[in-house]
Amino acid sequence: MPYLSPNIRRETLVRAEERDSLLEAPQTDISAVAIAPREVDWLMTSLVFLFPAIGGLLFGYDIGATSGALVSITSQQTSGTDWYSLSPFKSGLVVSSSLFGALAGSVGAFFLGDKLGRRRELMLAACLYGAAAVLLFFAPSYPLLLTGRVMYGLGIGFAMHAAPAYIAETASASVRGLLISLKEGFIVGGILLGYLASALWVGDTGGWRYMYGAALPPALIVFAGMAWLPESPRWLLLSGASREQAERAVRRAWGSSGSDSQAIQQEVSNMLQDSPTSAPGGLAALFSGRNVKPLLIGSSLMLFQQITGQPSVLYYAAKIFKDAGFASDSDATRVSVVLGFFKLVMTGVAVATVDSVGRRPLLLGGVAGLVLSLLALSGAQTLVKGDFATWVSVVGLLSYTAAYQVTLPHTG
């Protein structure tokens, strides 16, 4: 054993004692110190989410309301017009005109969105929603009806661009994912509300006017709410605003939990760090190298969401049920309410299971379910008759909705 001087031996014993005392001392939860999550002001966070989300709800509401409005407009008893006898092409234009408007609105949002800002873009969408609701309520002719539908679609295009961006850029990071998922639930909830409005007014003369006009109060709420809320702090930084302006926006958005100046400064610093100073490669970079495969997969899933026919089924739900054997308009629209409620429930199931089951298994199983459901619907319309055909149509449409809702909206 090598010789150790008394001083060295004394230092060694002291260090050993210090080590033992540290090991015996109560251990601190390092994760609690390192993470120290900020408390969330749930009232302010709910408002930051609610007003933009109502913009998405109005998109869903249009789907459900149009399902019943189409039945009301084309009925001699309930249309309240002398132009109720619409050809299939003209009926289709009542549905598709809002989609044309939404496409135009999306293109407009691409060019104007970053100039307007998320807040003013949502206020513009609210104005378009409200003006369209008024025009549709008073529309004296078919051309003005289509004009109102296109105007409403423009509102959809701007709202669906700005709402998710505002929520993602303004809400606290700890609840951001939850709120984005809830936004999908608001859209589906809007569909259910539209079906409820259809069931409520489908038997009234001019009931379609009330179905469309009911969108005005929510549109006014969106406008007032967005006029009160702060601008997106991330957009402020991207538009050249000062750091102080962004910090003020964060402080307002965080509500009572915005008193932590250090946390606010860190949040803005993270935004500055994540903000792109340039777009390397530009648009051409999407179509080259390793970006091609993800682009093709993502675009294919988006295309598949549309060509499955799900939007058309929702728009024509009441008419499908009526053709399937529910003779009265009220019966057909009431069954549509069941469809809307079922869709909302399956949205909750999808959100709860998508991470545990996995997106690929859900997608494969969902596509198989879509195919079988469409075969059942086709057979109910062509091969079987009577009450059996009616209920096969109901089951087929419900299973079709379930298969779609648990897969495509959550795998794209």
Side-chain angles (χ1 to χ4, degrees), residues 323-406:
D323 292 342
F326 291 91
S328 69
D329 295 344
S330 58
D331 287 343
T333 52
R334 280 197 289 266
V335 179
S336 298
V337 172
V338 176
L339 175 65
F341 180 76
F342 188 68
K343 185 176 176 67
L344 183 61
V345 170
M346 295 312 298
T347 300
V349 171
V351 171
T353 60
V354 64
D355 289 329
S356 58
V357 176
R359 285 164 173 77
R360 188 172 183 273
L362 274 179
L363 181 60
L364 295 175
V367 170
L370 286 172
V371 172
L372 293 175
S373 300
L374 289 173
L375 288 174
L377 280 170
S378 177
Q381 297 293 319
T382 57
L383 300 179
V384 291
K385 304 295 181 183
D387 291 343
F388 181 70
T390 300
W391 292 109
V392 169
S393 297
V394 172
V395 173
L397 199 52
L398 290 176
S399 61
Y400 173 83
T401 300
Y404 176 90
Q405 200 60 33
V406 299

Side-chain angles (χ1 to χ4, degrees), residues 134-378:
V134 172
L135 179 56
L136 288 167
F137 183 81
F138 291 106
S141 63
Y142 177 75
L144 283 178
L145 171 67
L146 294 185
T147 302
R149 298 287 295 139
V150 171
M151 188 181 297
Y152 197 97
L154 287 170
I156 292 172
F158 282 106
M160 297 311 293
H161 173 264
Y166 184 88
I167 294 170
E169 294 174 359
T170 307
S172 175
S174 60
V175 296
R176 193 171 295 150
L178 170 65
L179 297 182
I180 293 297
S181 297
L182 284 177
K183 184 186 70 67
E184 171 69 20
F186 262 64
I187 296 174
V188 179
I191 296 174
L192 176 58
L193 288 176
Y195 286 146
L196 286 170
S198 298
L200 178 64
W201 287 309
V202 73
D204 297 343
T205 301
W208 58 274
R209 298 183 185 275
Y210 300 107
M211 297 174 201
Y212 284 137
L216 178 60
L220 295 175
I221 291 173
V222 173
F223 184 87
M226 295 312 303
W228 175 75
L229 286 175
E231 182 55 88
S232 158
R234 187 178 295 273
W235 177 82
L236 287 172
L237 294 173
L238 290 173
S239 64
S242 66
R243 181 187 178 104
E244 288 72 21
Q245 288 176 291
E247 289 180 358
R248 283 198 296 270
V250 173
R251 186 172 287 107
R252 278 201 62 198
W254 284 8
S256 62
S257 60
S259 57
D260 189 343
S261 299
Q262 186 176 358
I264 290 175
Q265 292 173 5
Q266 183 61 48
E267 180 79 6
V268 174
S269 296
N270 292 339
M271 292 179 185
L272 287 169
Q273 185 177 358
D274 295 339
S275 297
T277 56
S278 62
L283 188 62
L286 285 174
F287 303 96
S288 61
R290 62 182 183 180
N291 294 327
V292 173
K293 185 176 180 180
L295 176 65
L296 290 175
I297 293 174
S299 301
S300 298
L301 285 173
M302 294 301 103
L303 176 64
F304 194 65
Q305 284 191 26
Q306 303 305 313
I307 64 176
T308 54
Q310 168 75 181
S312 299
V313 167
L314 297 175
Y315 275 115
Y316 289 99
K319 186 168 177 53
I320 291 173
F321 285 130
K322 190 174 180 182
D323 292 342
F326 291 91
S328 69
D329 295 344
S330 58
D331 287 343
T333 52
R334 280 197 289 266
V335 179
S336 298
V337 172
V338 176
L339 175 65
F341 180 76
F342 188 68
K343 185 176 176 67
L344 183 61
V345 170
M346 295 312 298
T347 300
V349 171
V351 171
T353 60
V354 64
D355 289 329
S356 58
V357 176
R359 285 164 173 77
R360 188 172 183 273
L362 274 179
L363 181 60
L364 295 175
V367 170
L370 286 172
V371 172
L372 293 175
S373 300
L374 289 173
L375 288 174
L377 280 170
S378 177

